[in-house]
Amino acid sequence: MTIVLEGKAAMENKIIVNTKKELFPAAPDLYGLFFEDINRAGDGGLYPEMIRNRSFEDSLTPAGCTVDPERKIYKNKAGWPGAFNHGEGMDDWAEKVEDTPVPGWYADLAVMEIRTEDTLNPNREAALQVSFSENGKIWNIGYAGVPVKDGDYVFTLFIKSDTDTEFTAALESKQGTCYGKEVFFAAAGKDYQKIDGKIHAEGSDFQAVFSLTAKKACTVMIGFTSLLPEDTYLGHGLRRDLVEFLKGLSPKFMRFPGGCIVEGLTEETAMRFSHTIGPVWERPSHQLMWHYRTTNGLGFHEYLQLCEDLGIEAMYVCNCGISCQARRGRGFSEDLVKEMLMEADHAIEYAIGSEDTEYGKLRAAAGHPEPFSLKYVEIGNENWGEEYLERYELFYRTLKEKYPDIIYISNGHTEREQLPTEVVDEHYYNAPEWFLENDRRFDSYDRNGPKIFLGEYAVNGGNTIASMECALAEAVFLTGVEKNQDIVTLSAYAPLFQNSDYTAWKPNLIVFDNHQVYGIPSYHVISLFGRNQGDTVVECRSETEGRPPVYRGIPGLLCEQPGLCFKNAKIDGKPVSVSRTIYGSWEENGGIYEMRRGGKEHPFTGKSEEWNRAFEAFIRGKKRPGRKDERDLMWVTFDDQDREEYTFEIDLKFDPENAVTLSVWNSRTDTDAGCSEPKDKEWNLMSVRSQIWKMEQGFGVTDIKGFFDFGKPEPEKTALPENDGEFHTYKIKADHDGYQCYIDDKLVQQKKHILHPLIYSAASTEGEKLILKLVHVGDTPADVSIVTDCEIEKEVRAESISAELSAGNDFEHKERVAVKTSEICVEGSEFIYHILPHSVDVLTMKRAVKK
């Protein structure tokens, strides 16, 4: 499609690009990938194993954990619980399958039993004993079905039998229709035999099963099984369509293996390099904190091979001797820290060491004699505090001395503790408006400080998730990142993959099941930006309408000590009463209300009562440093009508030592973003979005409450009139420009909204190519004048993504929100571009060469 744009106009919306003002080179690795085995992204996902529970270990109690009598949940040493369901994982997953003593496996004319002795090798914790009757059969249902299409499938089986027996391995429907089979013979003996076979399948059935049938009665031990499609990406064992989707993002690096799984539930389940190399049947499995066990089929070698196949840089994350602190993990012993440091050393040697080294020799034996590339190593994941500082310094200095060319990444701003810091990993999960208002976040970062890695970011709050609204807000944020590529050099959306049948976290960039895949709108935005980055960032200015953010909600009152008294609450001059008691309680006497503690419990609710109780006990059991215990707070809201503009006034009397907060635009959305764990279904401290006027120790602070506010400076304090302990009228006028704070009708403080432009922009060049990115957050079409300091050749490629804010993709409409490409014709150095509402656009132009 070609659209011809004619004429010039004096426009209200103008983008001015100065190609002669080159700011700095584009960061070569800006757009990357973050892989974590979450939502069954590894086994049964990117690593296309078709047999679930192939090592028969899923129902074993996770190392370092305990399980409840019904085996519905496990708990780590700090009491953090996860869904277990006898190894089936999340409650929702377990509900979808029939009960079986061996997760994933079923039997007819056969009896199955998990055995923990006489296993295949010392790394295997279990084997499956099967007593077959004549023509007895066992079968595996895979990951929500074994996906069969015309083609070849390879299977591996370690088996020993008490009788010489013929077996048939088959792919068949649940009703018994055979799509393909292979007959093999197992001789009686005391040792496991390795059976390698191939099944040629004809037919299509994504709910098929893999079966094993014994011709005559026998008792066997099965030590390990595997079924993989023969057709994989470049023949390197990974699922072709999922790798193609990764390739479609034009990534420059991949962070691996996580994420929280690096730290582990416990010391015993922390990620170890040594557990992820060698033959898959010799790799120890372990429980991940995302409610399932991995057999590490997608290991370190496969990861490095994938990076090489995609032509991208590798970024390895090592455990630095701490289990997951978000789940109250702790630092390991000195000896174990040294062991983890040795693991990191060996991983690096495996990647880049010569064949003469111990681990380089193992790599060569695995089929890759030449060293891989390993550019980045991150020390720990989401770790903090003194425990982390000590371990970070030990790992950094030791590894840097031995491998000086590698770039090392810290979990925090360790340079502030006078530690050597090359790159800092910052994570941002927040609502759309946060990303919309933080496009200039990195403008003020110290250019002499460390580089910044946006290791995890995503809109995971607001009215929708995985929608155009989220992608639009992230695109705004990324235009600010692109304008700061001298300091922000790496970024990765998180998480990356979601198996739709095994969801433990939402949203995720790429959604798949056992045979199909699509990208959410954010995928298409990142793909568009990633393949249009350019080489040099140039000056780009927007002259466009500025708009304030729109907030809606109700007013609230919060205090941290009992005794606050209030009366005469009004909204726009009309009396209002308490509409919701979020925490604490109150007592009324003669029209005066006094805040008290207690009287309000917030139960966590989910599928399993065992999980609910354990999760609540964990959350209530110990405060995180610097965070208020919710049970110490008292919080009420007034009225129940959401308003954009209103005046709220209330008479308050409180002790000067009591921290009192008036909250503005309190609201809560009901999206199911984040961890699929028991949730507090009521309004609570973490789920309510609001802005605040907090009064404490004679000072007032206005602020926006946020969860992931790493590096955020302390808000400015304003001295307030002396609190004499008597009633005074406190008032907030909330409007589109912000809000004003009054005491006895005297303006004492205010917060003005930062106006956001209607159109955001960023520009770069690559040779004679000029690349202009535009993000339009308005809800109506707009004309924008593009003004450049050079002549532009006639044909311009326009790539655009536009949709309603709530629009998203799904399996029925995989590209409802996706890129549409057109050609436009322009003349000279200025032209008018018609931009659609809620859109992300990239214009690729060629600078005319003067003859």
Side-chain angles (χ1 to χ4, degrees), residues 51-52 98 100 102-110 112 132 136-142 146 170 172-174 208-213:
I51 295 177
R52 181 161 63 85
E98 295 180 17
T100 173
V102 185
W105 292 91
Y106 296 83
D108 183 34
L109 298 177
M112 301 184 296
F132 287 98
K137 180 168 71 173
I138 63 171
W139 66 93
N140 187 277
I141 61 173
V146 172
E172 56 187 40
S173 72
K174 290 180 179 178
V209 301
F210 170 78
S211 67
L212 189 66
T213 303

Side-chain angles (χ1 to χ4, degrees), residues 66 80 98 137 178 186 288 352 608 705 714 759 804 835:
T66 57
W80 181 81
E98 295 180 17
K137 180 168 71 173
C178 183
L288 302 176
I352 65 175
S608 163
K705 182 176 68 68
E714 287 293 323
I759 301 169
E804 293 294 325
I835 194 165

Side-chain angles (χ1 to χ4, degrees), residues 537-556:
V537 180
V538 299
E539 184 180 71
C540 182
R541 294 184 289 112
S542 299
E543 294 180 1
T544 183
E545 178 185 350
R547 292 185 177 179
V550 176
Y551 294 98
R552 296 181 181 90
I554 58 178

Side-chain angles (χ1 to χ4, degrees), residues 558-560 628 633 654 658-664 691-703 715-718 720 732 739 741 749:
L558 181 148
C559 62
E560 297 178 12
K628 294 290 182 183
L633 301 176
F654 57 94
N658 196 353
V660 173
T661 299
L662 290 174
S663 47
V664 193
Q691 299 194 39
I692 64 170
W693 176 30
K694 184 175 183 178
M695 294 163 281
E696 184 175 18
Q697 301 292 334
F699 291 90
V701 166
T702 58
D703 198 10
E716 184 178 346
K717 295 181 179 181
T718 299
L720 300 177
I732 288 183
Y739 53 96
C741 309
Q749 200 166 2

Side-chain angles (χ1 to χ4, degrees), residues 419-478:
L419 294 178
T421 310
E422 300 174 50
V423 181
V424 171
D425 185 357
E426 296 186 356
H427 297 177
Y428 296 102
Y429 295 103
N430 221 309
E433 59 265 26
W434 185 94
F435 286 90
L436 197 68
E437 294 168 10
N438 276 272
D439 66 305
R440 304 191 67 177
R441 184 176 189 85
F442 303 105
D443 291 3
S444 59
Y445 272 48
D446 182 3
R447 263 47 194 176
N448 296 317
K451 303 300 183 184
I452 301 300
F453 170 33
L454 299 180
E456 299 178 32
Y457 73 87
V459 171
N460 74 336
N463 300 313
T464 57
I465 58 170
S467 67
M468 184 63 196
E469 178 186 26
C470 305
L472 196 68
E474 291 155 3
V476 166
F477 189 64
L478 289 174

Side-chain angles (χ1 to χ4, degrees), residues 79 100 136 211 252 268 415 439 451 467 507 561 577 589 681 760 794:
T100 173
S211 67
K252 301 302 189 297
E268 296 87 346
E415 80 280 4
D439 66 305
K451 303 300 183 184
S467 67
Q561 296 179 23
S577 58
N589 186 7
K681 301 297 185 182
Y760 296 78
K794 187 174 182 180

